[in-house]
Amino acid sequence: MVNLNAILDQFVSDCKIAPYGDGHINDTYLTSSRQFILQRINTKIFKDYEQLMNNIDGVTSFLKEKIKAAGGDPERETLTVIKTKDGKNFYKTEDGDVYRLYIYINDSVARSVVTDPVQLYHAGKAFGKFQFMLADYPAESLFEVIPDFHNTRKRFEALKEAIEKDIAGRKHLVEKEIEFALSQEHYIDTVVDGLASGEIPLRVTHNDTKINNVLFDKDTEEGICVIDLDTVMPGSLLYDFGDALRAGATTGAEDETDLSKVWFDIYAFKNFAKGFLEYTNASMTDREAELLPLSAKLLTYECGIRFLTDYLNGDTYFKIHREHHNLDRARNQFKLVEDMANKESEMMSIINQLRRK
Ligand code: ADP
Ligand code: GN1
Ligand code: MG
């Protein structure tokens, strides 16, 4: 049994801790004083955790300067990494587990499901502002934590490999889902090719703009702080826009199994786009704007095939809490993809209107 209190003591003298949040990747704990978040970094995924922590140090220090210059609170509007008592930004146990400590952002809420579309307006502003503030961050100084993270073609190839190998013997359970996944191939290269040709600008992006990776003020609903900075890397604005809609502009939870409850919410889309464009419209190119509707579908599709691949591989990547959890998630994302495809032109009209303002 790991002694988490002994690990916590390497950073600060505090009291007890308990599991917290519902991320799919790291193990997160809140201290009972509600001052700190202790996280066991998933080193199976983040193999080079030293470079990862250097990225986070670099990005948060940079953001803190900008926040201070704008008269904001640098300990509330971005993450603060607490060093160990001997000055390191992580602690490695004798068993090889790696932990980090952050200041807990008080009086905030993280939401896995949107309960009011206005929350998406605030999320849009928060992610748009994050992107805006990092526009002049030296991209070349960032270590590529997970290469090809949003390379949909490579994700597609990984799915095909998982189908072929059928390691977990589950292929026969998902013939319909496989058929759907393979039928979407015609648009999967759009962003990757656009980046490669220079048609789409490379920017510093968050890359995991899931709705519970922004903390909202518990009273005002404002988006206070963008968290989960593990995947900050050079990428496309379309990744951040699309992934946020995948997770936020839906009428059901990501693992809702009653698919009659899962729809793409165009009103939530409008709210998010409005907030996001407040910060990004001026620097956004016409090509990026034109691809915003597709990005929602593309990133939702990509996440869906990642869930399906993990299901076929025997659930080795995402945390699961029940037997067919990854399959439930994949089906849910594919339902959204279908609905988004029907609403692409409606999305485009909304973007065109917002761009003109
Ligand atoms: P994962 O990579 O597993 O998703 P996150 O860094 O997103 O891990 O953390 C998981 C959850 O813990 C978040 O969704 C949020 O609810 C909570 N959380 C993480 N860091 C903080 C923080 N500094 N302050 C408040 N809540 C936090
Ligand atoms: C993971 O870490 P978390 O739970 O915020 C994943 C995202 C997926 C998301 C799907 C590093 O996000 O890419 O979109 O699950 N993060 C990583 O819910 O793979
Ligand atoms: Mg997270």
Side-chain angles (χ1 to χ4, degrees):
M1 188 56 196
V2 192
N3 183 348
L4 288 171
N5 289 311
I7 291 164
L8 181 62
D9 197 56
Q10 298 297 321
F11 295 91
V12 287
S13 305
D14 200 301
C15 27
K16 294 211 175 53
I17 50 185
Y20 190 71
D22 57 4
H24 293 347
I25 304 295
N26 300 298
D27 293 338
T28 304
Y29 305 90
L30 173 63
T31 64
S32 57
S33 64
R34 298 181 75 80
Q35 271 185 292
F36 304 107
I37 287 281
L38 180 72
Q39 256 182 351
R40 183 166 75 100
I41 300 175
N42 185 330
T43 50
K44 239 170 62 188
I45 294 175
F46 303 116
K47 294 197 173 65
D48 200 334
Y49 48 85
E50 296 196 39
Q51 297 263 39
L52 165 77
M53 288 311 294
N54 289 341
N55 275 3
I56 293 181
D57 262 347
V59 167
T60 52
S61 307
F62 183 87
L63 290 175
K64 281 180 194 304
E65 290 310 315
K66 294 228 162 166
I67 293 164
K68 268 190 255 170
D73 179 348
E75 291 195 350
R76 189 163 168 74
E77 294 169 36
T78 190
L79 288 172
T80 305
V81 178
I82 307 283
K83 302 254 163 81
T84 58
K85 288 172 181 170
D86 57 8
K88 293 180 76 175
N89 52 22
F90 63 86
Y91 171 69
K92 188 170 182 180
T93 68
E94 281 174 6
D95 298 337
D97 288 333
V98 180
Y99 288 82
R100 65 183 165 208
L101 194 74
Y102 289 128
I103 288 185
Y104 174 72
I105 314 284
N106 252 306
D107 298 324
S108 71
V109 282
R111 290 199 176 82
S112 293
V113 182
V114 168
T115 50
D116 179 338
V118 77
Q119 289 158 0
L120 268 202
Y121 168 65
H122 292 301
K125 277 210 314 195
F127 285 129
K129 186 175 177 188
F130 184 82
Q131 172 114 175
F132 176 78
M133 286 196 294
L134 289 177
D136 55 344
Y137 190 79
E140 64 290 348
S141 70
L142 279 172
F143 171 70
E144 198 176 3
V145 185
I146 306 180
D148 295 316
F149 191 60
H150 284 306
N151 186 323
T152 320
R153 170 60 60 183
K154 294 218 166 147
R155 298 289 188 187
F156 187 80
E157 296 306 327
L159 170 66
K160 287 212 294 197
E161 193 182 328
I163 297 168
E164 221 162 90
K165 292 195 174 144
D166 193 20
I167 293 172
R170 287 170 160 177
K171 185 177 143 186
H172 67 287
L173 300 172
V174 292
E175 297 293 351
K176 250 180 47 204
E177 289 73 17
I178 290 174
E179 195 191 330
F180 177 79
L182 299 180
S183 74
Q184 303 295 300
E185 191 180 356
H186 53 284
Y187 58 82
I188 66 173
D189 296 316
T190 314
V191 177
V192 172
D193 285 355
L195 283 169
S197 70
E199 187 194 24
I200 298 173
L202 193 68
R203 303 175 185 273
V204 173
T205 49
H206 182 281
N207 297 306
D208 188 2
T209 49
K210 191 169 166 174
I211 193 74
N212 69 7
N213 287 333
V214 56
L215 300 177
F216 299 91
D217 186 288
K218 80 171 177 28
D219 299 319
T220 67
E221 293 285 0
E222 286 281 331
I224 314 164
C225 179
V226 170
I227 60 167
D228 203 346
L229 304 179
D230 292 331
T231 51
V232 175
M233 286 180 284
S236 163
L237 166 153
L238 295 158
Y239 297 155
D240 285 2
F241 185 82
D243 196 56
L245 291 156
R246 170 195 81 74
T250 166
T251 53
E254 190 187 59
D255 58 357
E256 172 62 61
T257 52
D258 179 353
L259 298 185
S260 69
K261 292 189 184 147
V262 180
W263 299 97
F264 174 59
D265 182 348
I266 193 79
Y267 186 61
F269 172 88
K270 188 176 181 178
N271 270 274
F272 184 87
K274 183 170 185 281
F276 191 80
L277 265 70
E278 276 179 25
Y279 283 94
T280 58
N281 197 21
S283 65
M284 189 184 290
T285 66
D286 287 341
R287 181 64 180 150
E288 284 173 314
E290 187 188 8
L291 290 176
L292 291 174
L294 177 98
S295 77
K297 184 174 78 170
L298 180 68
L299 272 288
T300 308
Y301 168 75
E302 184 188 278
C303 194
I305 61 170
R306 290 176 64 200
F307 288 142
L308 184 58
T309 304
D310 201 31
Y311 182 72
L312 287 163
N313 286 340
D315 309 313
T316 58
Y317 186 93
F318 297 103
K319 276 188 197 168
I320 53 158
H321 307 291
R322 54 180 191 252
E323 199 190 348
H324 300 293
H325 212 163
N326 272 318
L327 175 57
D328 294 341
R329 290 167 175 156
R331 286 185 171 144
N332 178 303
Q333 301 296 290
F334 290 163
K335 164 76 191 280
L336 275 179
V337 169
E338 283 182 312
D339 200 30
M340 286 170 170
N342 292 331
K343 294 173 180 162
E344 267 180 79
S345 56
E346 226 178 313
M347 288 192 244
M348 200 65 251
S349 323
I350 291 171
I351 297 297
N352 288 337
Q353 254 180 18
L354 289 169
R355 287 281 277 175
R356 274 197 297 271
K357 272 186 193 159

